[in-house]
Amino acid sequence: MISQVILWWVVTGILGWLAWPVGFWLFQRLPGRGYAFNRILGLFVSSYLFWAGGSLHVIQNDAGGILLALLVLAGVSAWLVFRPGGYGREMSSWIHQHPRLILTSELLFACCFIGWSILRAFAVGKIMPVGGEKFMEIAFLNGILNSQAFPPLDPWLSGYAISYYYFGYIMMALLTRLTGALPAVAFDLYDALLFALGACGAFGLVYELVSSSDRHEKGALPAALTGAIFTVLLGNWQGFLEILYTRGWLPFSLAAWTGVPNFPGAAQVTGTFNPGSFWGWGWRASRVLSDSTLSGQSIDLNPITEFPAFSFLLGDNHPHVLALPYILLGAAIAFQVLWMALLREEPHLWRSMAFGWIAGGLLFLNTWDYPITIALILGAWLAGSTLSTGLLSNPTLRSTLRLGLTCLASGILFYLPFFSGFSSQAGGILPHLLPPTRLIQYLIMFGPFILVLSGFLPTSWAQECFRSGRRVALRRWLRWWSRLVIALLFLFLVLLALAALILWLDAVRGGNLTATLLPILEGRTPGEAAFLAFAYRLRRPGVFLLLTGLLSLAGVSLWEALEHGKEGATDDISRTYAQAPDPGLIFSRLLAIGGLVLTLVVEFFYLRDGFGVRMNTVFKFYFQAWLLMAAASAYGVWWFFRYGQQVWGGFPALILKAGMLTGILAGMAFPVAGIISRTEGFSAIPSLDAASELHRDHPEDWAAIDWLLTRRAEGATPPVLLEAPGKSYTYAGRISAFTGFPAVLGWSLHEMQWRGTYTEQSRREAGIAQVFSAPSSPAAREWLKTWQVEYIILGEAEHTYIHELCSRVEQPCNPVQVEEELAHLYQPVFHQGQTTILRLPSSLP
């Protein structure tokens, strides 16, 4: 397995160097020229070319198609370097000027990738047989590897293509083919790769911010490393609380007061610093919010509060993790846009389209991340243009609109093949009527960043006021704060009234939407529910006041910087770096505003989906907010340690620094304890095969998987399987998941989430039930012909399914007779233990 780690390190390095000229052109105004993003950009561009070529049927989904995509990338880069007036000499000069940045970036990637590969080798429970979504993720990878073209076949709904944002799995499949790794090995290594790419992306973003603020780049590398730690390694405070409780230093009453679900009820006091199994305390750290009904009763679907360190320890290669490096890449693009606006450089059409193309990749990676990235890009351009040409002048508004339309158009244009077959369960935006988040739970989640931002934002505002000769007027901030509070409360009241009206009209017309919200309304009228929702926000205002206060600080300081920046604006378009305002400080405030707004929005709204509450909305928005606040906080720590004493004096600055460091150290308790728990003290036999434990625990099924894989002809269409269907998070669908051969039906509820409807799944469930209860019936044969089934699986999951099916009163049958009948009707071609594979004739009578 060591050879695979080295091979992945080398291959990703080659991709990075192939794409560096593209990055050098893309980030032309940034001090670091986006060097730390090379591998991220290389994997993105090569995967896009591979996918686009396969979608247009120009290339095939094989090693030859990948090599052709790499040749195109190499050709574009060669043209950028060697064309007349190309970047050859400039790149050579830049390399000689930045050896420390290059060396640190490469060492950071190597240490993170190799280190996390070691952790993955020792991790236990890599792909769990039940729970988690790793079956789905390995199914997508194998489904893509088994598809002849794109869109790839859906391994859990035969005859259909994947209806999900699957670009991250295209990237994983590309590296799997390039390195020749087994899919289960690639699954483990890709988690390590994402950890390393996320660290490098955060490192690169913070480096560009600090280097732009400090022309001599002093402290840029340490600050950038801090950004990497904050983004992928730092945890929330729940890990620290778990350790305190386990050690016996946190009283039960105080732990219970936090209201974190299952804490401290499921925790134990052992007198040690070891909080126990990661699946206990570690899981609680990803579920720290507890929502309740309007009557105050706890609900089952509590918000998901994952953060990167938890996700990487869990090892889920899910879209929110797959997109992580590319959110940071989008933020770097936004910072490049800010620089261009400050220097009054209108983006060329090709460059604007490139910005939109890369940002649009998030639509295909994890659609939720796209709006905030576009908003960040346009906000950066608006801020920079305002500083250069005046506050919200007509040229500023026109150029912002032009950039926005170009980015949106190119983001859609370049991904049309994806949109043509994509459907979703998203059903609009609904008001969050349930009680708001408790302040203590919000601080447990984002405490390290809130402490840093609470020191950084007011201090940076005060310093700007001192330098410009203005007074630090608290009344000015309080005026901003009170206006924001009143505006948001008024807006929420209006929206509640509108929601009540919509629900009333809906009830008159039949009540479809009202039925969806019935568990939340609890028999109340829409008006009563709206009144209670507003009353709860007045009784529990902590999170609202905290976030609006910090947003007001960031907003007033940014607004005043823009107002005073316009006073110094000149008509000289060729402004130098030395003449420009501090872009790092401006952009860090934009990042902070973005992160804070994302966590405030979910207090009032959520995206309607199959869950009916804000569980998934909090999950997606909090994860994005973590990335933005981590970068802003890393910059804030550097800035405060450099300038804080000048503003507050020695002792107050020392107290604030101590508070920041204490909060950060409390957050570092999670990764330290998490690494030990996740690997059980590095006691297991190391293996980078993510399927090794399933192979050990279910040898008969794995023998069937191996048999199927060895009998598929190269280039042939994969056969259709019939195995026991499952709802979600079960052992069902394991054969199709680990072969990539399409099953008639796998996890049906996940298919509903991906497609927004349960019609086809319901129809197939009824047909599968007929096949596994009355296999000789004409209806069963007709179903098998319709689905073009080639193999029927009879294994552990099927035995259980048939027994449950036959136990139903409305469909009585004998499980033993059913299995004997299936074996009589169709040819057994594989048998080991309790697992049998039956082959159907090419044409059923």
Side-chain angles (χ1 to χ4, degrees), residues 421-745:
F422 178 69
S423 59
S424 172
Q425 64 168 332
I429 300 174
L430 291 176
H432 175 58
L433 300 176
L434 301 182
T437 303
R438 290 181 58 195
L439 179 60
I440 181 61
Q441 293 176 351
Y442 182 87
L443 291 176
I444 289 173
M445 180 64 191
F446 289 109
F449 302 145
I450 294 300
L451 282 178
V452 172
L453 295 177
S454 297
F456 162 59
L457 291 175
T459 307
S460 62
W461 178 43
Q463 189 213 44
E464 281 193 344
C465 291
F466 293 156
R467 285 185 174 179
S468 62
R470 290 174 285 140
R471 227 167 23 95
V472 182
L474 288 178
R475 282 183 299 179
R476 190 182 306 131
W477 166 60
L478 289 173
R479 189 163 57 247
W480 269 71
W481 190 8
S482 60
R483 288 174 179 173
L484 180 60
V485 167
I486 293 171
L488 288 176
L489 288 177
F490 176 75
L491 177 63
F492 189 59
L493 272 174
V494 170
L495 291 173
L496 283 178
L498 182 61
L501 177 61
I502 292 173
L503 288 173
W504 179 77
L505 292 173
D506 175 72
V508 172
R509 295 176 181 176
N512 292 331
L513 182 57
T514 307
T516 302
L517 296 177
L518 197 59
I520 296 174
L521 297 176
E522 297 177 310
R524 298 180 179 86
T525 66
E528 292 172 337
F531 175 79
L532 276 177
F534 190 76
Y536 264 115
R537 275 149 184 80
L538 296 179
R539 287 160 45 192
R540 194 186 288 178
V543 171
F544 178 69
L545 293 178
L546 172 68
L547 294 181
T548 52
L550 289 175
L551 281 170
S552 300
L553 274 172
V556 70
S557 57
L558 184 59
W559 184 264
E560 290 188 0
L562 299 182
E563 278 193 319
H564 288 272
K566 72 169 184 178
E567 297 171 4
T570 68
D571 294 328
D572 181 12
I573 295 180
S574 60
R575 300 175 71 185
T576 64
Y577 287 104
Q579 293 173 315
D582 186 344
L585 183 58
I586 293 168
F587 195 72
S588 65
R589 287 168 176 161
L590 288 175
L591 290 173
I593 289 172
L596 294 169
V597 165
L598 284 172
T599 61
L600 180 62
V601 163
V602 296
E603 296 301 307
F604 297 98
F605 307 100
Y606 70 96
L607 299 179
R608 182 186 178 192
D609 54 23
F611 298 104
V613 289
R614 66 170 183 163
M615 178 187 78
N616 227 21
T617 305
V618 169
F619 171 26
K620 301 293 187 177
F621 281 25
Y622 269 30
F623 199 85
Q624 294 177 67
W626 186 282
L627 302 182
L628 300 183
M629 282 199 265
S633 297
Y635 178 90
V637 167
W638 168 81
W639 193 96
F640 191 90
F641 272 68
R642 181 162 185 179
Y643 300 111
Q645 190 168 341
Q646 299 175 14
V647 177
W648 303 118
F651 185 71
L654 181 63
I655 295 297
L656 289 172
K657 290 176 184 177
M660 291 181 186
L661 290 177
T662 301
I664 294 166
L665 288 174
M668 288 303 295
F670 177 86
V672 172
I675 289 171
I676 296 172
S677 295
R678 191 69 179 86
T679 60
E680 295 184 352
F682 296 91
S683 59
I685 299 174
S687 170
L688 277 172
D689 182 354
S692 57
E693 291 164 318
L694 285 173
H695 190 284
R696 178 196 65 203
D697 297 337
H698 304 271
E700 297 164 359
D701 280 348
W702 278 98
I705 290 170
D706 288 337
W707 185 90
L708 286 167
L709 289 172
T710 56
R711 276 155 182 79
R712 184 198 167 185
E714 185 67 28
T717 302
V720 176
L721 310 178
L722 179 63
E723 55 182 332
K727 296 299 184 183
S728 286
Y729 309 109
T730 66
Y731 187 56
R734 79 285 184 201
I735 305 295
S736 49
F738 286 91
T739 60
F741 298 172
V744 174
L745 185 62

Side-chain angles (χ1 to χ4, degrees), residues 373-439:
T373 302
I374 285 294
L376 193 60
I377 290 173
L378 296 182
W381 178 262
L382 188 62
S385 297
T386 297
L387 280 165
S388 297
T389 61
L391 191 61
L392 299 181
S393 63
N394 286 334
T396 294
L397 295 176
R398 283 197 299 269
S399 61
T400 304
L401 179 62
R402 191 161 50 246
L403 176 62
L405 290 176
T406 304
C407 287
L408 288 171
S410 58
I412 295 172
L413 175 66
F414 284 112
Y415 299 95
L416 275 178
F418 164 66
F419 292 117
S420 64
F422 178 69
S423 59
S424 172
Q425 64 168 332
I429 300 174
L430 291 176
H432 175 58
L433 300 176
L434 301 182
T437 303
R438 290 181 58 195
L439 179 60

Side-chain angles (χ1 to χ4, degrees), residues 135-402:
F135 269 29
M136 164 205 148
E137 295 151 13
I138 197 76
F140 278 1
L141 172 60
N142 282 311
I144 291 170
L145 290 171
N146 278 284
S147 300
Q148 295 177 326
F150 301 130
L153 57 86
D154 188 335
W156 280 344
L157 198 68
S158 61
Y160 284 77
I162 292 175
S163 178
Y164 199 56
Y165 20 82
Y166 60 86
F167 193 24
Y169 301 102
I170 294 284
M171 298 179 182
M172 197 189 311
L174 180 140
L175 286 176
T176 304
R177 285 201 192 279
L178 274 180
T179 59
L182 294 172
V185 173
F187 191 88
D188 256 356
L189 286 175
Y190 203 73
D191 182 67
L193 178 66
L194 289 169
F195 179 83
L197 292 179
C200 287
F203 170 89
L205 178 59
V206 176
Y207 177 88
E208 304 293 4
L209 295 179
V210 175
S211 297
S212 298
S213 294
D214 183 357
R215 306 302 190 267
H216 302 291
E217 301 185 14
K218 292 181 180 178
L221 290 177
L225 291 172
T226 302
I229 293 171
F230 280 12
T231 302
V232 300
L233 207 55
L234 188 71
N236 63 21
W237 283 347
Q238 181 60 27
F240 181 63
L241 296 178
E242 296 277 355
I243 293 173
L244 289 181
Y245 184 79
T246 301
R247 188 69 177 84
W249 293 346
L250 181 67
F252 180 91
S253 58
L254 188 57
W257 171 74
T258 65
V260 173
N262 299 317
F263 179 72
Q268 292 183 342
V269 179
T270 62
T272 68
F273 291 100
N274 182 4
S277 169
F278 181 80
W279 306 113
W281 74 270
W283 196 261
R284 286 194 292 275
S286 70
R287 305 291 191 279
V288 297
L289 301 192
S290 57
D291 275 355
S292 58
T293 66
L294 290 171
S295 300
Q297 302 298 315
S298 297
I299 65 174
D300 295 330
L301 296 175
N302 283 311
I304 300 171
T305 57
E306 276 196 34
F307 48 94
F310 170 83
S311 300
F312 287 125
L313 282 170
L314 181 63
D316 266 4
N317 287 317
H318 212 59
H320 66 287
V321 184
L322 301 176
L324 186 154
Y326 300 95
I327 299 172
L328 299 170
L329 179 63
I333 288 174
F335 191 44
Q336 162 71 18
V337 164
L338 174 66
W339 257 120
M340 295 178 70
L342 289 173
L343 299 175
R344 300 188 186 180
E345 293 181 2
E346 184 80 18
H348 188 277
L349 178 62
W350 289 110
R351 194 180 298 275
S352 297
M353 291 181 67
F355 294 156
W357 165 52
I358 294 176
L362 288 168
L363 286 166
F364 196 9
L365 276 159
N366 189 38
T367 306
W368 302 66
D369 298 329
Y370 177 71
I372 185 61
T373 302
I374 285 294
L376 193 60
I377 290 173
L378 296 182
W381 178 262
L382 188 62
S385 297
T386 297
L387 280 165
S388 297
T389 61
L391 191 61
L392 299 181
S393 63
N394 286 334
T396 294
L397 295 176
R398 283 197 299 269
S399 61
T400 304
L401 179 62
R402 191 161 50 246

